[in-house]
Amino acid sequence: MLRVHRPGLMTTVQDAGRVGAYHLGMPPSGAMDRFSFSVANLLVGNTDAHAALECTYLGPEIEFTEPAHIAVTGADMPLKINGEPVDGWTCHAVSPGEVVSFDFLKAGARAYLAVSGGIDVPPVLGSRSTYTLTGTGGLDGRALREGDELKTGAAATSAAAGASVPEELRTVHPSQVELRVVVGLASYRLVPESLAAFFTTDWRVTPDANRVGYRYRGGAIEFVDRTPPAGAGSDPANVVDIGYPVGSIQVPGGSEPIALLHDAVTAGGYATIATIISADLGRAGQSRTNDVTRFVEVTLEEALTARHELAARLTRVHEALGAG
Amino acid sequence: MTAAARPELAPGPDGSLYTFGGDEWIVAQLSESMSLRANLRAQAVTRRLAELALPGVVEICPSNAAYMVRIDPDVVHPRAMLERLKELAEEVGEAEDFVLQTRIVDVPVLFRDEWTHETVMRFRDRHQTPDRTDLEFAAELNGYPDTDSFIAAMVGAPFIVSMIGFVPAVPWGYQLVPADRQIEVPKYVRPRTFTPERAFGWGGGFSAIYPVDGAGGYQLFGICPGPIVDPAQRLADFREQFTFPRPGDIFRYRAIERAEYDAIRATVEDGTFRYRQREVEFVPHDWFADPDGTVRRLEGVLDA
Amino acid sequence: MAEHIVHAPFPGVFYRRPDPESPPFVNESDTVASGSVVGLIEVMKMFQEIRSEADGTVTEFLVENEAAVDAGQPLMRLT
């Protein structure tokens, strides 16, 4: 069992996400940085089917009551066991009574703490991921609190303390990030100069950025004049309400783009102009408030290549850990 | 008129536009403007797509005048899927022969209730008309002499649930009345930071119900006693799925008084609440020929 | 006298007041007790109280009110 001494700022149970209910308004949730999540699970002998803890900005302090293997990946949030610094991206054995804690975040936004056997909470719609808005999944559908107790599932025997991900396969988190996007959706609502400027502007992540979406400041977007189509309403930033892909970028009011992430609102009436490619969603989720972001246009083919490269990197981690 | 940014990414003459949402999503806009026809085409294509159970299709999401598909690009190439969706649209055409197998649901609403009224008054500074209520504003904007006749129009014909989302369960309702009787209202000038759960509102051409307390920008007219989400899945209508509305549902909003509201709330509290609902066939061809007669027949099934 | 620095535990926007109309939680030369609230940080649509981890007297603020702060950034100096 895991006993939560301090919950951190926003620590939630997450897995690979919930699919099949987007048409009912249910976003996938799940780990914001899928690569780091998968690697943390691999290090402790788990699979993607196991849930881990996503620790945002400030890590928790957790006591283990049973022996377990743990690993922390993702954000650079230095890990300590019983107050002693230990390496990230590495499998560690913890003994009953030992306490896991973190130093201040150094880079990135979200650390993944995986525990052998996975965090055992009841799956909802096929996933253990926490979606706080409707209190779905995770531990009672909410972030961890002081005094919470978490069970773990049956651990595989393949975890090996000391196993570590080679430096070159770990993720680094610069404070200036580039996110690749495919242009489309309602991009036709923008004037050409605005779409061009979108890609040359330094966008700064606002403090309200969370799992639902990231809002950015730094420029203005101008829409093409038009007679509002039936049902759209008179605001030039509006279209007839439509589905929003995860990763899609909308521009309410023409000034503050919002990129929707894993707890996305699933539909609405704002014109969306582009979508972050799947390979870069993790990088978006590791950017943090006040960071500078540039959006870079890519083709669909480049997006697919990036997706395959990320999958290949995970395969290399597998091989390096001898788990492949 | 200023030109759009990318002519190749602009809608065709019929307003249709297929684009990629990154590498995992395809958004198919069938029309730039809302109409029942556009929504029925979206329902027809997405139902057909679900029947086909194509490999690599992960999510199928009909929306008002569009639909969206999430795919696994490791299983199916997005371009191949996009071509398949265009073929499906051709097959479905104008959905002339489409028959919507659905259910009609009685959804009681208490208009001018104390809870949404309190919210409406609290956020007057974010509204177009700080000196009038949302109901008064919307009634006048749509040419109704008073709020009673405006409410009568809203409950005068049922709505098709043309899209579900924003947050879980929000039923976007497009009223089954001809275009010249469609109600349309703007959203708040600045969104509210609070809306009570189960509030009934309207924004653009669509009605909606707020499932849980939260921010919102729709004009607020009333509150529903029945929930549309039940995360604990305590109530019979929520045993299989904790959200109630389904795409293509027909919701008949019915104005109730406070006594009935309280009585229904008591059944929600004691766990016996159920929506009154009947299976129906909605035949678009009939509706286009005789909208009023067709909705009266549908309501007859519900009230029989 | 031992010096103590109050750090921002996470990134966000630092506020010296609970709301714009209220006086600051603490001013320079105020004495604070360990565990008392010395500011707020706004992040992810939440306002989190920042508490001193030591007794002392505020000698200097190291960031302005409403400044963007990063995790681990020094906020104020106590002696």
Side-chain angles (χ1 to χ4, degrees):
Chain A
M1 188 161 2
L2 281 66
R3 274 205 190 108
V4 179
H5 288 187
R6 292 179 185 218
L9 181 62
M10 173 83 185
T11 303
T12 54
V13 178
Q14 300 292 346
D15 62 13
R18 188 173 280 120
V19 293
Y22 209 82
H23 66 293
L24 301 174
M26 179 65 66
S29 302
M32 295 271 273
D33 177 356
R34 276 290 302 277
F35 176 81
S36 296
F37 160 80
S38 294
V39 172
N41 266 332
L42 271 180
L43 279 163
V44 298
N46 292 348
T47 69
D48 271 2
H50 290 92
L53 294 178
E54 181 180 272
C55 315
T56 309
Y57 290 145
L58 178 69
E61 187 181 299
I62 293 175
E63 179 192 341
F64 285 73
T65 64
E66 295 154 53
H69 285 92
I70 65 159
V72 171
T73 62
D76 185 1
M77 197 189 272
L79 172 65
K80 294 185 287 190
I81 299 177
N82 270 3
E84 290 298 315
V86 296
D87 289 338
W89 300 85
T90 301
C91 180
H92 302 281
V94 290
S95 309
E98 289 197 312
V99 175
V100 165
S101 63
F102 296 85
D103 266 343
F104 288 144
L105 179 72
K106 286 198 162 74
R110 293 174 167 84
Y112 293 87
L113 168 58
V115 182
S116 48
I119 304 295
D120 187 18
V121 292
V124 178
L125 296 170
S127 165
R128 295 185 171 86
S129 290
T130 311
Y131 176 55
T132 54
L133 187 103
T134 49
T136 303
L139 182 68
D140 301 331
R142 56 168 173 79
L144 298 190
R145 291 181 194 148
E146 187 181 329
D148 280 344
E149 294 187 336
L150 292 164
K151 288 186 294 182
T152 54
T157 50
S158 58
S164 191
V165 177
E167 203 74 41
E168 70 274 14
L169 294 175
R170 301 180 185 183
T171 315
V172 292
H173 310 288
S175 63
Q176 190 135 3
V177 299
E178 287 191 350
L179 299 178
R180 290 167 288 184
V181 304
V182 174
V183 173
L185 312 169
S187 63
Y188 63 89
R189 294 287 309 116
L190 301 192
V191 300
E193 297 75 16
S194 278
L195 189 56
F198 179 72
F199 295 109
T200 55
T201 301
D202 283 336
W203 297 101
R204 198 168 285 278
V205 179
T206 64
D208 54 1
N210 62 15
R211 289 184 48 89
V212 176
Y214 271 40
R215 187 197 303 266
Y216 299 90
R217 281 193 197 116
I221 299 288
E222 199 190 329
F223 293 93
V224 176
D225 291 336
R226 57 124 193 233
T227 309
S234 53
D235 184 336
N238 280 162
V239 294
V240 170
D241 303 79
I242 191 168
Y244 292 149
V246 173
S248 65
I249 299 167
Q250 53 181 256
V251 197
S255 61
E256 296 190 346
I258 295 173
L260 295 174
L261 297 173
H262 287 68
D263 287 357
V265 292
T266 62
Y270 288 116
T272 44
I273 61 177
T275 307
I276 300 170
I277 67 173
S278 63
D280 283 359
L281 285 173
R283 195 180 296 168
Q286 289 294 7
S287 65
R288 54 180 166 175
T289 177
N290 306 321
D291 276 359
V292 169
T293 298
R294 279 286 185 109
F295 295 100
V296 178
E297 184 180 4
V298 295
T299 63
L300 175 66
E301 281 64 30
E302 289 168 325
L304 291 170
T305 301
R307 179 186 180 87
H308 297 145
E309 284 169 358
L310 189 61
R313 194 161 136 226
L314 193 56
T315 304
R316 290 210 300 284
V317 173
H318 243 277
E319 290 162 358
L321 296 175
Chain B
M1 187 92 172
T2 324
R6 303 278 174 93
E8 75 279 13
L9 287 177
D14 60 351
S16 72
L17 175 65
Y18 289 75
T19 68
F20 297 107
D23 47 322
E24 291 191 351
W25 300 80
I26 298 171
V27 180
Q29 174 180 295
L30 299 174
S31 166
E32 222 180 320
S33 56
M34 182 57 191
S35 65
L36 182 60
R37 182 78 75 192
N39 184 251
L40 291 168
R41 289 183 66 211
Q43 306 264 11
V45 173
T46 50
R47 285 185 179 213
R48 182 84 190 102
L49 187 60
E51 284 165 14
L52 291 172
L54 300 176
V57 173
V58 178
E59 304 272 5
I60 303 172
C61 314
S63 57
N64 293 319
Y67 69 95
M68 183 167 81
V69 178
R70 183 179 187 181
I71 57 167
D72 179 347
D74 302 333
V75 177
V76 59
H77 195 286
R79 287 198 196 281
M81 181 56 67
L82 189 142
E83 289 311 312
R84 190 74 188 87
L85 297 179
K86 283 184 169 170
E87 285 167 24
L88 270 181
E90 292 262 315
E91 282 169 42
V92 166
E94 289 302 301
E96 292 289 354
D97 306 323
F98 178 61
V99 173
L100 183 68
Q101 303 290 341
T102 183
R103 57 181 182 173
I104 183 165
V105 185
D106 179 61
V107 183
V109 187
L110 177 64
F111 290 96
R112 304 190 185 93
D113 66 289
E114 59 184 277
W115 301 279
T116 56
H117 184 73
E118 199 252 310
T119 304
V120 160
M121 298 319 287
R122 200 169 122 201
F123 294 103
R124 274 301 83 186
D125 60 326
R126 298 173 186 229
H127 193 265
Q128 287 82 358
T129 56
D131 55 331
R132 279 181 301 163
T133 65
D134 293 10
L135 258 180
E136 289 164 350
F137 166 71
E140 185 184 316
L141 194 70
N142 284 277
Y144 291 90
D146 50 47
T147 56
D148 281 346
S149 56
F150 180 62
I151 291 169
M154 287 192 284
V155 300
F159 294 66
I160 186 164
V161 175
S162 52
M163 176 169 87
I164 295 172
F166 181 58
V167 296
V170 176
W172 301 64
Y174 184 71
Q175 199 172 20
L176 292 171
V177 295
D180 61 345
R181 278 156 53 195
Q182 286 292 334
I183 292 164
E184 200 154 330
V185 297
K187 295 161 197 164
Y188 270 45
V189 176
R190 284 185 300 130
R192 297 176 303 272
T193 54
F194 177 79
T195 310
E197 69 168 38
R198 293 174 283 103
F200 172 82
W202 204 297
F206 303 94
S207 65
I209 302 171
Y210 288 81
V212 292
D213 290 351
Y218 274 27
Q219 307 285 335
L220 295 182
F221 301 149
I223 196 162
C224 302
I228 55 169
V229 292
D230 176 16
Q233 297 184 280
R234 220 168 38 90
L235 301 170
D237 286 326
F238 297 83
R239 292 278 148 77
E240 282 175 24
Q241 180 75 49
F242 80 86
T243 58
F244 179 73
R246 299 180 206 151
D249 275 350
I250 294 174
F251 276 15
R252 194 272 306 270
Y253 290 111
R254 179 168 58 86
I256 57 170
E257 297 302 322
R258 180 62 190 263
E260 186 174 354
Y261 178 90
D262 290 340
I264 296 172
R265 285 306 297 163
T267 66
V268 173
E269 297 302 322
D270 70 19
T272 60
F273 172 79
R274 290 211 73 161
Y275 279 105
R276 188 145 57 88
Q277 51 189 294
R278 295 282 182 276
E279 299 299 314
V280 286
E281 263 189 1
F282 177 67
V283 184
H285 185 81
D286 293 351
W287 186 86
F288 285 108
D290 176 14
D292 291 335
T294 304
V295 302
R296 271 197 299 276
R297 279 195 296 281
L298 288 173
E299 289 178 322
V301 174
L302 182 61
D303 294 329
Chain C
M1 204 181 290
E3 186 183 81
H4 178 77
I5 303 283
V6 179
H7 294 93
F10 41 80
V13 177
F14 176 67
Y15 293 93
R16 286 187 53 196
R17 304 162 191 272
D19 57 74
E21 280 79 46
S22 299
F25 290 105
V26 288
N27 289 302
E28 278 177 19
S29 75
D30 282 0
T31 54
V32 297
S34 176
S36 60
V37 178
V38 295
L40 297 175
I41 291 182
E42 178 195 8
V43 72
M44 295 191 289
K45 300 188 179 179
M46 305 184 286
F47 287 88
Q48 300 286 329
E49 291 176 342
I50 306 304
R51 293 167 187 274
S52 172
E53 288 178 353
D55 299 331
T57 302
V58 180
T59 53
E60 189 185 0
F61 281 92
L62 303 169
V63 293
E64 299 286 315
N65 186 41
E66 294 188 33
V69 294
D70 208 347
Q73 186 172 338
L75 300 175
M76 65 190 75
R77 199 189 303 275
L78 310 180
T79 54

